Amino acid sequence: MQEWNDSVKRLILGCDAQNAPWTAPSAELGAALDKMAEEPAERRLLKAAVMFNFTRLVGQSHQRALAVAPAQNDSVEQCSERAEELLRAALRAKDTRLLAEYLTTLADAGRVSPPAALADLFDAALNQPRLQVSLRHVMGERGRWLCGLNPKWEALRSDAPASEELAHLSGVARVDAFRRLREADPAAALNQLSAIWKDEPAKERAALLEVLKVGLNPNDAEFLAACVDDRSLPVRYQATRFLAQLGDASVLTPLREWLASALQLKKALLKKSQLNIEPPKEFDKSWEKWGVKEDLSHLPNRTKVGKRAGWFYQVLALLPPRVSAEILQTSLEQTIDLYRRSDYAEAALLALSEGAMLHGDVTYFETLFPALTEVERTEYLGGLAAGFAAEKIEPLILPALQAAMKKDSQFWLPVLYQLKAFSRLTPKLSEAIAEMIRAKILEGESWYYDAHQTIDQLAYQFSLTSYEKIRSLLEPLQDDRTNPLLAVYKNRVDFHKELQS
């Protein structure tokens, strides 16, 4: 609210420095200001600030708000004073990540937000979709009442008709609304998407379809099967990926047949067997329903690729790695080795990894890692962190991290940064990383200027159960590079403890 900001500025600078006429956002406030015209400047300033702040918090002028029925009492417990203090500290710091965790923790504990913090929480959540879902669960009766008084907060209400929003929104706002609905009720979200689908332009269809990854389930298959024939290539590609993830035979069977026709294994008695890869020489238009591009020129790592290698890469990336092993009748380890020594090695290995990520196949990476160099292993960490929970791939990450920490900060800090995709680290990983950082500090190693971004992120990722161990490792150092981490980490731990007490 600009009028409130203007009030704050006048309060700081004083009446004499800011003696310009007041402007009001409504006729009621304008009339109230006119009545104060003859009063001393100091009194007028304080009264105006009170009125504008009231309007900012409630969404109504004080005259109108007096006629509004009061909110119903909440039947659930609020958080403690200490928890409220931590919540407000995160609001002041505009720490969206910490706020999201606090709100989720409140919701999980069945508590509601302190009423006095609601207005600031609503303002913080307006442009932060990650806050909105949790906020709906903790605003309580007072929050729903307050949202009803201020039009800009109306969409944040927990009982807002999210299922009716899609037809009246567009762009990012529509995608955010669809994501909220998908999280709350996947079936209802799919029905809403089906209702508006045929009237949407290709770009909107692709953006909305991608949200189906939230709560993807077999009930989505019929809708996705229709999308395979969509006129937009990005839509076809995403629909095919989702169907492949769901194990849909209508997609996986023809893809498998395509791959089998392209692979020729030449076995030898005295030498290693050789894999010949012979994709079709001409592009078949029927592949377009899988989202395969005819003229793919570069792989994801920006390496140039020929047309046939590009087709091969796109098809292989849709299949789990075990399909190749089944076709070749070899072990997964042998399959990886055959692809490594083939003419399509780079495209094939990238596709195998992408297929493993798509289908959640940790076994592939467990088989792959022993054959990789130290540098190659670290290059996989970012992708693995984005695709798997830390618990699933801890045995892969820990050795790679330990090897990286033996080098200088130009190497180990970027490796550590790749783990940012994890929302949480396991206790074992948390403590191991803290021990490594402690060792680097004690060695007196200097770090590059923006290393704090990598270190600070750990405060949000470290396991809560590891706090005492990590505090004992880092607090005695009193190092400026780790003190901010410990402060945020402690606040996280304290907030969770408050809700458990």
Side-chain angles (χ1 to χ4, degrees), residues 252 255-256 259 315-321 323 351-352 354-356 358-359:
L252 291 180
L255 287 171
R256 181 190 178 109
L259 180 62
V315 171
L316 185 59
L318 292 168
L319 293 164
V323 170
L352 285 173
E354 188 170 331
L358 179 65
H359 294 276

Side-chain angles (χ1 to χ4, degrees), residues 296-305 309-310 313 346-348 350:
L296 183 72
S297 59
H298 291 80
L299 296 173
N301 63 0
R302 299 183 182 178
T303 300
K304 284 188 176 182
V305 66
Y313 161 78
E346 188 168 15
L350 283 171

Side-chain angles (χ1 to χ4, degrees), residues 42 72 81 84 105 133-134 179-180 241 256 260 325 336 371 388 395 419 430-431 433 450 461 468 473 499:
E42 292 84 358
Q72 297 181 14
E81 289 185 8
E84 179 178 354
T105 306
V133 174
S134 296
R179 182 177 289 105
R180 294 197 300 268
R241 285 175 62 85
R256 181 190 178 109
I336 294 170
F388 298 98
L419 303 185
S430 299
E431 293 167 19
I433 290 172
D450 59 351
Q461 297 174 290
E468 289 301 331
L473 289 169
L499 295 188

Side-chain angles (χ1 to χ4, degrees), residues 7 14 21 34 71 111 128 131 133 198 201 211 217-218 235 244 277 301 339 363 368 385 419 431 434 476:
S7 300
D34 290 341
R111 306 280 186 92
Q128 296 290 342
L131 297 180
V133 174
K198 61 180 173 42
V211 180
N217 65 86
V235 170
I277 302 173
N301 63 0
Y339 274 125
T363 304
L368 173 68
L419 303 185
E431 293 167 19

Side-chain angles (χ1 to χ4, degrees), residues 111 173 193 307 310 335 357 359 376 393 402 467 486 499:
R111 306 280 186 92
L193 182 61
K307 280 191 173 184
T335 303
M357 295 288 291
H359 294 276
E376 286 174 333
I393 56 173
Q402 290 169 336
Y467 174 71
L486 287 172
L499 295 188

Side-chain angles (χ1 to χ4, degrees), residues 249-427:
S250 68
V251 167
L252 291 180
T253 298
L255 287 171
R256 181 190 178 109
E257 291 172 352
W258 190 102
L259 180 62
S261 68
L263 299 180
Q264 298 175 6
L265 180 60
K266 290 188 175 182
K267 296 184 177 180
L269 294 176
L270 301 178
K271 295 188 298 184
K272 284 188 175 182
S273 299
Q274 184 67 36
L275 178 61
N276 290 340
I277 302 173
E278 290 291 338
K281 294 181 179 179
E282 299 295 333
F283 185 81
D284 190 324
K285 288 291 184 181
S286 67
W287 305 342
E288 290 181 345
K289 67 181 179 181
W290 302 330
V292 173
K293 295 180 181 178
E294 181 177 2
D295 55 353
L296 183 72
S297 59
H298 291 80
L299 296 173
N301 63 0
R302 299 183 182 178
T303 300
K304 284 188 176 182
V305 66
K307 280 191 173 184
R308 296 173 70 199
W311 306 337
F312 178 77
Y313 161 78
Q314 292 175 83
V315 171
L316 185 59
L318 292 168
L319 293 164
R322 60 176 171 75
V323 170
S324 292
E326 291 168 0
I327 291 171
L328 298 172
Q329 297 183 340
T330 55
S331 68
L332 191 52
E333 183 178 2
Q334 291 170 328
T335 303
I336 294 170
D337 180 62
L338 286 167
Y339 274 125
R340 268 183 173 278
R341 294 184 289 106
S342 72
D343 292 338
Y344 286 60
E346 188 168 15
L349 291 172
L350 283 171
L352 285 173
S353 293
E354 188 170 331
M357 295 288 291
L358 179 65
H359 294 276
D361 185 0
V362 177
T363 304
Y364 168 76
F365 293 104
E366 291 172 344
T367 306
L368 173 68
F369 264 47
L372 298 177
T373 66
E374 187 176 289
V375 173
E376 286 174 333
R377 287 188 199 120
T378 61
E379 290 173 349
Y380 274 90
L381 292 184
L384 289 173
F388 298 98
E391 293 80 2
K392 283 192 172 184
I393 56 173
E394 179 187 278
L396 299 177
I397 295 175
L398 197 51
L401 268 176
Q402 290 169 336
M405 295 296 278
K406 293 177 182 178
K407 301 181 182 297
D408 63 27
S409 62
Q410 297 295 322
F411 188 82
W412 68 265
L413 277 167
V415 170
L416 198 59
Y417 181 74
Q418 290 188 63
L419 303 185
K420 66 178 181 178
F422 284 129
S423 58
R424 296 290 179 270
L425 294 169
T426 64

Side-chain angles (χ1 to χ4, degrees), residues 78-96:
Q78 297 176 20
C79 63
S80 66
E81 289 185 8
R82 172 58 177 157
E84 179 178 354
E85 179 185 328
L86 292 167
L87 187 66
R88 287 188 170 281
L91 277 166
R92 288 192 298 272
K94 297 181 179 180
D95 192 332
T96 303

Side-chain angles (χ1 to χ4, degrees), residues 228-250:
V228 170
D229 295 319
D230 195 275
R231 58 188 180 275
S232 166
L233 188 145
V235 170
R236 295 195 300 271
Y237 177 67
Q238 188 61 70
T240 301
R241 285 175 62 85
F242 285 153
L243 286 168
Q245 277 184 280
L246 292 171
D248 191 280
S250 68

